[in-house]
Amino acid sequence: MLQPKRILHRKVHKGRSRRRTASRGTELSFGAWGLKAVEGDWLKASQLESARRVISRVLARGGKIWTRVFPDKPRTAKSSEVGMGGGTGSLSHFVAPVQAGQVLFELDGVTDEMARQALTGAGHKLPIKTRIIQRS
């Protein structure tokens, strides 16, 4: 799964709301097809990896995939049945804060039907609404 090699701080603040619309990363930069987030949320590294696997399985060693988001925000969790207090728990997983309108994946070098099938399957793996976009 995707995760940073090194992090500066083991625990970070939650940050601002992901309900805003993105101002950067909203257009296709590399490929002819893309998967765009319609709403904002945190995406776990495991969710992004699951979506990437669906795309690569459909493409079957054809075409090129670009992942435009990276999970570099550490999240902590306390173990189950632990009472209140005692500080923050240990590192649990990494998330990528995604805003509405941000491009998540891009594809190129495949047919329209194959790209649509791959991105539809990847969108089903993510907990947010997504839209398939095409370079015009």
Side-chain angles (χ1 to χ4, degrees), residues 108-124:
D108 203 2
V110 293
T111 64
D112 293 354
E113 181 183 334
M114 193 180 290
R116 196 170 287 280
Q117 181 183 356
L119 293 174
T120 302
H124 288 313

Side-chain angles (χ1 to χ4, degrees), residues 63-129:
K64 175 97 171 99
I65 306 169
W66 290 271
T67 305
R68 295 282 304 272
V69 293
F70 186 79
D72 58 354
K73 187 183 191 73
R75 301 304 302 145
T76 59
K78 299 182 86 164
S79 57
S80 60
E81 300 183 10
V82 173
M84 299 287 284
T88 309
S90 59
L91 180 65
S92 172
H93 58 276
F94 288 90
V95 297
V98 172
Q99 293 178 339
Q102 198 168 352
V103 177
L104 306 175
F105 294 99
E106 292 190 29
L107 301 177
D108 203 2
V110 293
T111 64
D112 293 354
E113 181 183 334
M114 193 180 290
R116 196 170 287 280
Q117 181 183 356
L119 293 174
T120 302
H124 288 313
K125 291 289 186 177
L126 299 174
I128 59 174
K129 292 179 185 175

Side-chain angles (χ1 to χ4, degrees), residues 27-28 31-32 133-136:
E27 302 292 325
L28 292 175
I133 57 174
Q134 183 180 11
R135 188 181 300 275
S136 53

